[in-house]
């Protein structure tokens, strides 16, 4: 089951890593591997969310999402989007950006270095909003309760995430951006960081708004179908059954999934700039990671189960928050790519181990007939 589901991901991994080592050497091999792990780590919750929604769709629309969707996710977001970011930030055409990367890597590196403050501010703000919206939300299950409980109470304040992000952006513009690292040494990039950071915030708000719009449309369609099923069941004197969504409901579901998938893709693509500016290494690593995320989505759907390890989503979002901070810091200071890549892996590993301990505690509690609220207490323990 596992090998059949992940066979394409395994094949792409072997081919991609072999090509990276053959074309650019062992450094490229290591960076591509770290990027793939980073993408898997950051997108695990994406796979879980996708699986939860995808199982509601009929076989046709599931196939559409897993075929057309993978083309958009891998080739659109992981291959084209990094080139577009570099082209816009460096003020060159996409074709010229690719040609420079191939024919004049030294000049390309200078352009990327000069564009890095803008890239880091845009990506840092986008990632920070994802993290803040997660950490300020009151959740039944908490990983680090001593942090998450007080932040969840603060999160009841309207627009707190946006206000916090704007404060962070202002502080960054007045501190690290005042002596930003560029190819010629250091320069004042305060205006650039402010403009790019605001652009990152606007992009997040637009993507989030579109996702909410499609989710509302989905809820309306689902409600209409449920009423129709109930009426038909009563007329035929049959029990109401759960039917996979098709037609307009499935179409809106597909649109919602694509917008949601794009929003999760941003963090992986933007986070990759904290590790490397090499667009081909980036495309290989993120493409490999995206294949595993899609395979994991299929596996979860086919197994009929969602995430048993409830803290992994928390670990992924803490990794997003850490990457946001790292990106903003790298406007002025250089941070080792290895350290940046390992941050997400360590946080995911820690959340996984915590999930395993929680599951064992729940099994032990079930053996002695726990009180009704005990599961909540165990799941909220740190």
């Amino acid at each position: 089951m596992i090998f059949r589901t992940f066979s394409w991901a395994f094949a792409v991994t072997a081919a991609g890593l072999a090509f990276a080592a053959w074309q650019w050497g062992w450094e490229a091999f290591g960076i591509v591997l770290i990027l793939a792990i980073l993408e898997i780590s950051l997108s695990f919750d994406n796979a879980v969310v996708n699986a939860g929604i995808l199982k509601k769709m009929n076989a046709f629309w599931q196939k559409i999402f897993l075929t057309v969707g993978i083309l958009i996710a891998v080739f659109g977001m992981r291959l084209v989007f990094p080139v577009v970011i570099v082209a816009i930030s460096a003020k060159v055409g996409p074709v010229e950006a690719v040609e420079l990367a191939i024919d004049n890597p030294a000049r390309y590196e200078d352009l990327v270095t000069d564009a890095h403050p803008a890239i880091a501010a845009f990506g840092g703000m986008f990632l920070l909003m994802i993290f803040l919206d997660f950490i300020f939300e009151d959740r039944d299950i908490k990983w680090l309760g001593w942090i998450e409980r007080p932040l969840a109470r603060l999160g009841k304040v309207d627009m707190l995430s946006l206000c916090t992000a704007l404060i962070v952006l202002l502080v960054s513009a007045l501190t690290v951006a005042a002596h930003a690292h560029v190819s010629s040494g250091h320069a004042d990039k305060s205006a650039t960081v402010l403009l790019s950071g605001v652009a990152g915030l606007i992009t997040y708000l637009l993507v989030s708004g579109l996702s909410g719009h499609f989710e509302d449309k989905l809820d309306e369609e689902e409600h209409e179908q449920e009423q129709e099923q109930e009426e038909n069941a009563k007329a035929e004197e049959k029990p109401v059954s759960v039917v996979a969504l098709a037609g307009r409901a499935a179409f809106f579901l597909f649109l919602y999934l694509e917008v949601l998938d794009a929003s999760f893709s941003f963090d992986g693509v933007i986070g990759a700039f904290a590790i490397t500016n090499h667009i081909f290494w980036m495309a290989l690593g993120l493409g490999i990671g995206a294949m595993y995320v899609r395979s994991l989505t299929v596996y979860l759907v086919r197994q009929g189960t969602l995430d048993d390890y409830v803290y992994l989503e928390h670990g992924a979002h803490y990794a997003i928050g850490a990457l946001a901070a790292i990106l903003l810091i790298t406007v002025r200071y250089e941070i080792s790519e290895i350290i940046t890549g390992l941050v997400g892996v360590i946080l995911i590993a820690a959340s996984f181990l915590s999930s395993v301990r929680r599951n064992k505690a729940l099994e032990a509690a079930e053996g002695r007939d726990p009180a009704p609220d005990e599961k909540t207490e165990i799941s909220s323990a740190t």
Side-chain angles (χ1 to χ4, degrees):
M1 175 66 178
I2 293 178
F3 181 79
R4 184 171 68 252
T5 304
F6 287 86
S7 58
W8 275 103
F10 293 152
V12 171
T13 300
L17 291 176
F19 180 79
W22 171 70
Q23 184 69 29
W24 298 292
W26 291 109
E27 180 186 1
F29 178 94
I31 296 299
V32 168
L33 181 60
I34 288 175
L35 285 170
I37 294 172
L38 175 68
E39 175 69 9
I40 296 169
S41 301
L42 292 178
S43 299
F44 186 90
D45 53 342
N46 186 16
V48 175
V49 172
N50 285 352
I53 299 175
L54 195 63
K55 68 179 183 179
K56 300 178 183 178
M57 301 168 71
N58 63 16
F60 171 78
W61 282 100
Q62 287 185 6
K63 187 175 182 180
I64 290 294
F65 178 71
L66 296 172
T67 52
V68 176
I70 194 66
L71 292 175
I72 297 172
V74 174
F75 295 101
M77 293 305 300
R78 273 76 175 187
L79 297 180
V80 177
F81 184 59
V83 175
V84 171
I85 288 179
V86 171
I88 293 175
S89 301
K91 298 179 181 179
V92 298
V95 175
E96 185 180 353
V98 175
E99 289 176 348
L100 282 172
I102 297 173
D103 302 328
N104 192 352
R107 173 59 180 158
Y108 173 80
E109 184 176 356
D110 288 342
L111 286 174
V112 172
T113 300
D114 291 339
H116 182 73
I119 295 171
F122 178 91
M125 287 298 102
F126 189 93
L127 294 175
L128 184 61
M129 283 298 295
I130 293 175
F131 171 70
L132 291 175
D133 276 350
F134 179 86
I135 203 66
F136 284 139
E137 183 178 347
D138 191 8
R139 300 175 179 276
D140 294 333
I141 295 176
K142 297 176 175 62
W143 179 30
L144 305 178
W146 58 278
I147 295 176
E148 295 171 14
R149 288 190 188 95
L151 290 177
R153 287 193 290 269
L154 288 173
K156 296 177 181 179
V157 178
D158 289 340
M159 306 298 290
L160 182 61
S161 296
L162 182 59
C163 291
T164 303
L166 286 171
I167 291 171
V168 171
L169 178 59
L170 285 173
V171 171
S172 300
L174 295 174
T175 55
V176 293
H179 301 280
H181 176 69
V182 294
S183 59
S184 59
H186 288 87
D188 187 354
K189 292 286 185 177
S190 299
T192 299
V193 166
L194 276 174
L195 182 62
S196 300
V198 169
L201 291 174
I202 292 172
T203 302
Y204 174 82
L205 293 173
L206 285 174
V207 171
S208 179
L210 284 172
S211 296
H213 170 73
F214 288 134
E215 189 172 13
D216 290 341
K217 296 292 291 184
L218 171 62
D219 290 340
E220 292 175 7
E221 293 288 337
E222 283 185 319
H223 182 65
E224 291 177 6
Q225 283 206 358
E226 286 174 1
Q227 286 184 326
E228 184 179 346
Q229 289 175 17
E230 287 178 2
E231 292 174 0
N232 292 338
K234 288 179 180 179
E236 299 176 6
E237 296 182 352
K238 294 180 179 180
V240 179
S241 60
V242 178
V243 179
L245 295 179
R248 287 190 303 164
F251 175 70
F252 281 121
L253 191 61
F254 174 76
L255 292 179
Y256 171 64
L257 274 174
E258 288 305 312
V259 174
L260 188 67
D261 205 46
S263 69
F264 277 100
S265 300
F266 275 124
D267 62 6
V269 173
I270 297 300
F273 277 103
I275 296 177
T276 181
N277 290 324
H278 198 298
I279 58 174
F280 297 114
W281 298 2
M282 192 184 303
L284 273 176
L286 297 181
I288 290 171
M291 291 297 297
Y292 279 97
V293 172
R294 287 304 168 106
S295 297
L296 180 59
T297 300
V298 175
Y299 180 80
L300 292 173
V301 171
R302 290 178 178 174
Q303 288 294 100
T305 181
L306 292 178
D307 191 15
D308 287 332
Y309 303 101
V310 295
Y311 298 140
L312 280 173
E313 186 178 6
H314 296 73
H317 280 86
Y318 279 111
I320 289 172
L323 278 174
I326 288 171
L327 276 172
L328 294 175
I329 292 171
T330 56
V331 170
R332 179 173 179 178
Y333 303 102
E334 293 188 34
I335 298 178
S336 171
E337 296 168 341
I338 302 300
I339 293 175
T340 304
L342 288 176
V343 166
V345 176
I346 291 172
L347 287 168
I348 291 293
S351 63
F352 173 78
L353 293 175
S354 295
S355 299
V356 171
R357 287 197 296 269
R358 171 191 178 272
N359 292 342
K360 290 181 178 178
L362 286 175
E363 290 176 2
E366 288 174 359
R368 57 180 176 82
D369 192 19
D373 295 333
E374 188 166 354
K375 278 196 173 185
T376 302
E377 291 298 324
I378 292 173
S379 66
S380 299
T382 58

